[in-house]
Amino acid sequence: MQIYHLLEERFARISSIEDAIGILQWDSETMMPEGAADGRSDQLATLKGLAHELLTAPDTGELLAQADQDSGQLDDWQRANLREMRRIYLHGSAVPADLVEASSKAVSKAELVWREARQNGDFALLLPHLAQVLSFQRQIGQAKGDVLGLSPYDALLDSYDPGLRQEIIDPLFTELGAELPGLIQEAQERQKKLPAIQPLNGPFPVDDQRRIGEQLMKAVGFDFNQGRLDVSLHPFCGGSTGDVRITTRYSEANFMSALMGVLHETGHALYEQGRPEKWRRQPVGLARGMSLHESQSLLIEMQACRSREFVTYLAPLVRETFQGEGPAWSPENLHRILTRVEPDFIRVDADEITYPAHILVRYKLEKALIAGNLPIEDLPSAFNEEIKKLLGLTVPDDSLGCLQDIHWPGGAWGYFPTYTLGAMTAAQLFRAACQADADILPGLAKGDFAPLRNWLRAKVHAKGSLMATDQLVAAATGQPLTAEVFRAHLRERYLTH
Amino acid sequence: MQIYHLLEERFARISSIEDAIGILQWDSETMMPEGAADGRSDQLATLKGLAHELLTAPDTGELLAQADQDSGQLDDWQRANLREMRRIYLHGSAVPADLVEASSKAVSKAELVWREARQNGDFALLLPHLAQVLSFQRQIGQAKGDVLGLSPYDALLDSYDPGLRQEIIDPLFTELGAELPGLIQEAQERQKKLPAIQPLNGPFPVDDQRRIGEQLMKAVGFDFNQGRLDVSLHPFCGGSTGDVRITTRYSEANFMSALMGVLHETGHALYEQGRPEKWRRQPVGLARGMSLHESQSLLIEMQACRSREFVTYLAPLVRETFQGEGPAWSPENLHRILTRVEPDFIRVDADEITYPAHILVRYKLEKALIAGNLPIEDLPSAFNEEIKKLLGLTVPDDSLGCLQDIHWPGGAWGYFPTYTLGAMTAAQLFRAACQADADILPGLAKGDFAPLRNWLRAKVHAKGSLMATDQLVAAATGQPLTAEVFRAHLRERYLTH
């Protein structure tokens, strides 16, 4: 027990450093004056280095082994905590320091070049740098895989989403991919037959947008005593344990995009704010992984806040806030705006039904690149071919194709699939929640999120990392993750009524 | 050289941690939601502990000794840097860790009790906690003094202001104290004979106050590319190297207080922003000490911005900003407002001429308390007696007396004298500057701070900690710090014209 408690102390200390890093990163995106960027890099590199030194201290491995021998004395949470400590330790210590540093430098360089390459649609410019990043990612995957007993790509997946494997993703994405093109086409055809969407005409003052955003955040359950809402170029949910900070970006011409963004990040924040109080600074108290995290944002934004029920509550609220008049402000028209289907090139602007197509393309390609089955110079043509297949679009320019996302030059390989796994998980959790509590949907129609929130708190948030993702999903919904509930949700929302 | 560079790397790392702490502390006062206070304490304690561990690592002492032997190869800045490293190391390592912790806990408790004690004017409530803090301060002073070869109080002074000693302060304060009561009385008598002050009647919108504050910050020379202005309960200058953040507090009833506060903090910020670029993350690149720091804020606020010259520029500017009308907005009346003399109980609200009296009282008493020449239970009566002597006021209640400041319960013993030493230094530097460059005063009358700023940059800011404070002052002004220039300034401003 003594050894275990020593480890708890060390991980609590690491958690405090990570929390400090979280606030500094938030500050970089929201408050920091431009000229302070270099100093901030020094601060972040120093703190990350210190956290890594604490994690991989020479005695950590030995302490973990010793604590393991005494694990009979530990309760379930402590045992799970020990398991998570080991997982984090293995990920942190698997990669030699010089490889971490070389990879980090390659990423910094590639991100810089990427900005110019994207602007000019110039893949050739990025190619050598992207090849470098890929090479380091393959080495990192290999190093982690050797320690964890996984293939390189599975090891990368495991960094973002513990327990996630290609053998889990492949059948789910294959099933979805088979249905998507037809589904998208049918949804568009049905859409054409409906009355035309009435646009909402602004300008919509930013102050009003912020006020209604905060009001809805409170309704969803965001605790402003332990969090904030601010503005940044790229919306995110960050901050630290017990101080969760989300951001959005306002446009006076379109309030809906910022508002849905706020609700999306509020879903993430709710997860962070609902982590088990007692374990907040321990590995077992962390959110389980990126799929589940994304499921919480999508559950709030896509499942709850674009439902017909919630839109009946939202419509009069926004009409009053922005003093809107006419049929454009009807719940029916608002719902149509919120569920418009429009295949297009840019992933981050995609609607609910075309978004997964973008992810399937990226998953297939990054898997092949890491496995060495696709030469990096063939990426543009392979990317465009897949987009054509799934979305029926001809990519005119790599800036609208494989150059659009920062993930690959940024070294985030193995991250993309969690977006769509999150969407599938959200659908499955939401259906289970609504089946378990008949008050949830009528609650949304009154702007009352308490029934939904309570279910999520109990089944997801308060579990932290006690269970594996698949166990958690099965315990909450009665079955492992399937593609079918999400497919049914899409059919229901986009092909019927 | 190799050893020296190793030390530079270590201190640069410590500097990055201190910078992170600076931003987190700024965030605590400006942005942090209330419920995040406990987590923030954890973060700050962890980072402070890591910085302390790096500083007092087992080999630091040995490395310093070795670097010393090779110091012939170092240039002036490097040698001074080594000297400052040793100073910081000695301060950091002199106090045993358990004493640091016990003192820190006693301070936290005393600060908490102090808030209640001050509210109720209940010294007895604070007494046992204050006695604890004092006892730890005496032990800390003793421990540092043993290592530095100083008396306990001198060792405490040295923590805030390297090289500061009682033997420097005593003659300066004695000379000032002898003249102050008469000066205050004469100034008040003269004030009575002048036409009555016309009050400026608000409300003054906060947005306008912020705009004019930022405008004047820019005029003084604040670089917004490496800094910010925000709002906090207690104004301060903080942030980090290359990211200097000042705060103020607005009242719609009185714009002058916030504006002068902004100019005061801008003086501090100018010092921070003007530190030698090349040495920013090294000890020799730090601001020299608290007296000199306060001299920079007071030079801008008191010497420059309350001068008749600057007020001729300020008056039409504020009249236009707030659409003021009538004789209250004349430069003459504005200057009278900015130089009003009014003996009162609260230090932080005191005017330029009564403020030093508050400091002299505190200096005399804390020196006696640390030396063991004044029993702590006699503090209230001794405090009130001194206030009577210097300001002619009868303290009605300890909340207006010895309970008003957080410094003593907060463990900041040896800090108070730097306020008035700063005022003296400001007067002496400003006179030397105006003598050296005849454009400075005419510049202020046009809102042009460039001549003054250039002199300060060269003579003070860019010197960092290269020299000792007394050397720097002598080099800049041609003589060591005297009370006479400050006394002449007070006589000139408050007794003539």
Side-chain angles (χ1 to χ4, degrees):
Chain A
M1 283 296 269
Q2 219 178 339
I3 303 276
Y4 169 79
H5 286 297
L6 212 82
L7 284 164
E8 271 202 353
E9 266 174 48
R10 187 168 297 178
F11 277 86
R13 223 171 162 209
I14 294 171
S15 163
S16 288
I17 303 175
E18 306 277 10
D19 280 343
I21 290 170
I23 297 295
L24 290 173
Q25 281 173 332
W26 169 86
D27 185 271
S28 304
E29 304 295 325
T30 55
M31 299 289 159
M32 188 181 76
E34 233 176 272
D38 285 349
R40 182 58 49 83
S41 293
D42 285 337
Q43 296 152 27
L44 288 171
T46 301
L47 295 194
K48 285 175 185 174
L50 287 166
H52 190 259
E53 279 171 31
L54 271 176
L55 175 66
T56 60
D59 60 343
T60 306
E62 183 55 32
L63 289 173
L64 284 167
Q66 285 178 34
D68 242 10
Q69 290 179 345
D70 301 341
S71 70
Q73 296 170 272
L74 303 179
D75 68 22
D76 285 354
W77 279 89
Q78 291 170 323
R79 244 195 315 274
N81 197 25
L82 192 58
R83 180 196 68 217
E84 293 303 310
M85 288 174 181
R86 184 171 318 98
R87 207 185 69 73
I88 293 171
Y89 170 72
L90 289 177
H91 270 283
S93 59
V95 189
D98 55 348
L99 177 52
V100 172
E101 201 186 320
S103 166
S104 160
K105 278 185 188 161
V107 161
S108 297
K109 182 67 188 164
E111 284 188 345
L112 212 66
V113 174
W114 166 72
R115 282 169 220 285
E116 197 189 332
R118 183 178 60 162
Q119 188 137 31
N120 306 322
D122 185 353
F123 183 77
L125 180 68
L126 182 63
L127 180 58
H129 305 286
L130 190 60
Q132 273 271 282
V133 171
L134 171 60
S135 157
F136 285 127
Q137 286 293 310
R138 294 178 70 185
Q139 291 173 54
I140 290 172
Q142 185 72 52
K144 290 190 170 192
D146 287 347
V147 170
L148 299 163
L150 297 173
S151 75
Y153 188 66
D154 275 349
L156 295 175
L157 288 173
D158 196 82
S159 318
Y160 300 107
D161 208 344
L164 187 59
R165 306 286 177 261
Q166 296 166 76
E167 65 179 33
I168 296 173
I169 304 172
D170 285 338
L172 296 170
F173 280 14
T174 302
E175 185 183 337
L176 186 62
E179 184 166 4
L180 265 186
L183 204 58
I184 293 169
Q185 208 183 339
E186 271 187 75
Q188 284 182 278
E189 280 162 14
R190 171 180 161 275
Q191 194 172 245
K192 275 185 212 141
K193 291 181 199 145
L194 293 170
I197 288 175
Q198 307 280 317
L200 299 170
N201 294 319
F204 307 104
V206 166
D207 274 352
D208 292 339
Q209 292 193 51
R210 182 171 44 237
R211 218 179 49 245
I212 195 174
E214 287 178 352
Q215 185 182 340
L216 289 177
M217 284 169 74
K218 278 180 202 155
V220 174
F222 186 91
D223 176 6
F224 276 95
N225 187 44
Q226 301 204 10
R228 294 176 53 95
L229 167 66
D230 294 276
V231 172
S232 72
L233 193 57
H234 303 287
F236 65 91
C237 169
S240 71
T241 304
D243 189 358
V244 179
R245 303 183 176 190
I246 71 170
T247 66
T248 190
R249 177 176 46 179
Y250 299 106
S251 150
E252 290 216 326
N254 173 5
F255 72 86
M256 204 51 109
S257 155
L259 191 58
M260 285 294 131
V262 163
L263 290 163
H264 181 93
E265 301 305 336
T266 300
H268 281 304
L270 216 58
Y271 193 2
E272 288 298 314
Q273 292 191 329
R275 293 199 276 122
E277 183 65 33
K278 190 183 161 192
W279 297 97
R280 274 196 175 177
R281 292 175 72 205
Q282 293 297 319
V284 75
L286 293 174
R288 179 62 284 193
M290 289 319 301
S291 296
L292 218 48
H293 229 307
E294 193 68 11
S295 84
Q296 296 307 291
S297 54
L298 290 174
L299 193 150
I300 295 299
E301 182 203 346
M302 290 292 177
Q303 298 290 329
C305 294
R306 297 187 194 236
S307 67
R308 289 188 177 272
E309 288 78 4
F310 181 71
V311 173
T312 60
Y313 170 76
L314 183 66
L317 190 68
V318 294
R319 194 179 56 226
E320 198 181 322
T321 299
F322 299 109
Q323 295 160 352
E325 277 173 24
W329 296 85
S330 72
E332 186 52 39
N333 186 60
L334 229 57
H335 189 258
R336 216 167 285 151
I337 289 173
L338 289 171
T339 55
R340 175 158 37 188
V341 178
E342 180 93 62
D344 211 334
F345 299 107
I346 298 298
R347 174 184 62 86
V348 296
D349 297 332
D351 56 74
E352 186 180 21
I353 194 167
T354 58
Y355 196 104
H358 289 278
I359 296 304
L360 264 52
V361 170
R362 285 153 179 80
Y363 171 66
K364 180 172 181 178
L365 298 180
E366 70 175 18
K367 202 173 64 161
L369 286 163
I370 293 288
N373 297 333
L374 175 68
I376 183 79
E377 54 273 20
D378 293 347
L379 177 59
S381 58
F383 191 97
N384 299 351
E385 194 180 315
E386 293 297 322
I387 289 291
K388 180 82 191 173
K389 234 190 276 177
L390 282 173
L391 284 169
L393 297 172
T394 303
V395 176
D397 174 333
D398 290 337
S399 62
L400 295 173
C402 68
L403 285 175
Q404 68 182 273
D405 294 308
I406 196 172
H407 297 59
W408 286 334
W413 297 66
Y415 189 102
F416 275 125
T418 66
Y419 292 112
T420 290
L421 294 167
M424 290 180 175
T425 310
Q428 193 163 322
L429 288 170
F430 190 67
R431 193 176 72 172
C434 294
Q435 283 171 351
D437 186 346
D439 291 339
I440 288 179
L441 284 173
L444 295 180
K446 294 177 294 182
D448 176 13
F449 285 77
L452 175 59
R453 184 172 64 243
N454 292 338
W455 190 90
L456 291 172
R457 280 271 185 268
K459 300 290 181 180
V460 181
H461 308 168
K463 299 295 184 194
S465 289
L466 181 64
M467 299 182 274
T469 304
D470 52 1
Q471 290 176 318
L472 190 149
V473 170
T477 70
Q479 62 176 338
L481 182 61
T482 73
E484 176 46 30
V485 184
F486 180 56
R487 289 167 52 210
H489 158 74
L490 294 180
R491 284 194 303 265
E492 209 273 336
R493 177 170 285 175
Y494 294 94
L495 302 187
T496 64
H497 296 302
Chain B
M1 285 297 270
Q2 217 177 342
I3 303 276
Y4 168 79
H5 287 297
L6 212 81
L7 284 163
E8 271 202 354
E9 265 174 47
R10 187 169 298 179
F11 276 86
R13 224 172 161 209
I14 294 171
S15 164
S16 288
I17 304 175
E18 306 277 10
D19 280 343
I21 291 171
I23 296 295
L24 291 172
Q25 280 173 333
W26 168 86
D27 185 89
S28 304
E29 304 295 325
T30 56
M31 298 289 159
M32 188 182 75
E34 234 175 272
D38 285 350
R40 182 57 51 84
S41 295
D42 285 338
Q43 295 153 27
L44 289 171
T46 301
L47 295 194
K48 284 174 186 173
L50 287 166
H52 191 258
E53 277 171 31
L54 270 177
L55 175 65
T56 61
D59 59 344
T60 306
E62 182 56 30
L63 289 173
L64 285 167
Q66 285 178 34
D68 242 11
Q69 290 179 345
D70 301 339
S71 69
Q73 298 169 272
L74 304 178
D75 68 23
D76 285 354
W77 279 89
Q78 291 171 323
R79 246 197 312 277
N81 196 26
L82 192 57
R83 180 195 69 216
E84 292 304 311
M85 288 176 181
R86 184 172 316 99
R87 209 185 69 72
I88 293 171
Y89 170 71
L90 290 177
H91 270 284
S93 60
V95 189
D98 55 348
L99 177 52
V100 173
E101 201 186 321
S103 166
S104 161
K105 279 187 186 159
V107 162
S108 297
K109 182 67 187 161
E111 284 189 346
L112 211 67
V113 174
W114 166 74
R115 284 170 218 283
E116 195 187 335
R118 183 178 63 161
Q119 188 136 33
N120 306 322
D122 186 353
F123 182 77
L125 180 68
L126 181 63
L127 180 58
H129 304 285
L130 190 60
Q132 273 270 284
V133 171
L134 171 59
S135 158
F136 285 127
Q137 285 293 309
R138 293 179 69 187
Q139 292 173 54
I140 290 171
Q142 185 73 51
K144 291 190 169 193
D146 287 346
V147 170
L148 300 163
L150 297 173
S151 75
Y153 187 66
D154 275 350
L156 295 176
L157 288 173
D158 197 81
S159 319
Y160 299 108
D161 208 346
L164 187 60
R165 306 286 178 261
Q166 295 167 76
E167 64 179 35
I168 296 173
I169 305 172
D170 285 337
L172 296 170
F173 279 14
T174 302
E175 185 184 335
L176 186 63
E179 185 168 2
L180 264 188
L183 205 58
I184 293 169
Q185 208 182 338
E186 271 187 76
Q188 284 181 280
E189 279 162 17
R190 170 179 161 277
Q191 193 170 247
K192 274 184 211 140
K193 290 181 199 143
L194 295 170
I197 287 175
Q198 307 280 318
L200 299 170
N201 293 318
F204 306 106
V206 165
D207 274 352
D208 292 338
Q209 293 193 50
R210 183 172 41 236
R211 217 181 49 245
I212 193 173
E214 287 179 351
Q215 185 182 340
L216 290 177
M217 285 169 74
K218 277 180 204 158
V220 174
F222 187 91
D223 176 5
F224 276 95
N225 187 44
Q226 300 204 11
R228 294 177 51 97
L229 167 67
D230 294 277
V231 172
S232 71
L233 194 56
H234 303 287
F236 65 92
C237 169
S240 71
T241 304
D243 188 358
V244 179
R245 303 184 176 190
I246 71 170
T247 66
T248 190
R249 177 176 46 180
Y250 299 106
S251 151
E252 289 216 325
N254 174 3
F255 72 85
M256 204 51 110
S257 156
L259 191 58
M260 286 295 132
V262 163
L263 289 164
H264 181 95
E265 302 305 336
T266 300
H268 281 304
L270 217 56
Y271 193 1
E272 288 298 314
Q273 293 191 328
R275 295 200 275 122
E277 183 64 32
K278 189 182 160 191
W279 297 97
R280 274 195 175 177
R281 292 174 73 203
Q282 292 297 318
V284 74
L286 293 174
R288 180 62 284 195
M290 289 318 302
S291 296
L292 218 49
H293 229 306
E294 192 68 12
S295 84
Q296 296 308 290
S297 54
L298 291 174
L299 194 149
I300 296 299
E301 182 203 345
M302 290 291 177
Q303 299 289 329
C305 294
R306 296 187 196 239
S307 69
R308 286 188 178 275
E309 286 80 2
F310 181 70
V311 173
T312 60
Y313 169 77
L314 183 65
L317 190 68
V318 293
R319 194 179 57 225
E320 197 182 322
T321 299
F322 299 111
Q323 295 160 352
E325 277 173 22
W329 296 85
S330 72
E332 185 53 39
N333 186 59
L334 228 58
H335 190 258
R336 216 167 284 150
I337 289 173
L338 288 171
T339 56
R340 174 156 41 187
V341 179
E342 181 93 61
D344 212 333
F345 298 108
I346 298 298
R347 175 184 62 83
V348 295
D349 297 333
D351 55 73
E352 186 179 20
I353 193 166
T354 58
Y355 196 104
H358 289 279
I359 296 304
L360 265 51
V361 170
R362 284 153 180 82
Y363 171 65
K364 181 174 179 176
L365 297 179
E366 71 175 17
K367 200 171 66 160
L369 286 163
I370 293 288
N373 297 331
L374 174 69
I376 183 80
E377 55 272 21
D378 293 348
L379 177 60
S381 58
F383 191 98
N384 298 349
E385 196 180 311
E386 293 296 323
I387 290 290
K388 180 81 192 174
K389 233 190 275 175
L390 283 173
L391 285 169
L393 297 173
T394 303
V395 176
D397 176 330
D398 290 336
S399 63
L400 295 173
C402 68
L403 285 175
Q404 69 183 270
D405 294 310
I406 198 174
H407 298 57
W408 288 334
W413 297 66
Y415 189 102
F416 274 126
T418 67
Y419 291 113
T420 290
L421 293 167
M424 289 178 175
T425 309
Q428 193 162 321
L429 288 171
F430 190 67
R431 193 174 73 171
C434 293
Q435 284 171 350
D437 187 347
D439 291 339
I440 288 179
L441 284 173
L444 295 180
K446 294 177 294 182
D448 176 13
F449 285 77
L452 176 59
R453 183 172 65 243
N454 291 338
W455 191 89
L456 291 172
R457 280 273 185 266
K459 300 288 181 180
V460 181
H461 307 169
K463 299 293 184 193
S465 290
L466 182 64
M467 298 182 276
T469 302
D470 53 1
Q471 289 176 318
L472 188 150
V473 170
T477 70
Q479 61 176 338
L481 182 61
T482 72
E484 176 46 30
V485 184
F486 182 54
R487 287 166 55 209
H489 159 73
L490 294 180
R491 282 194 304 266
E492 209 271 337
R493 177 170 285 175
Y494 294 94
L495 302 186
T496 63
H497 296 302

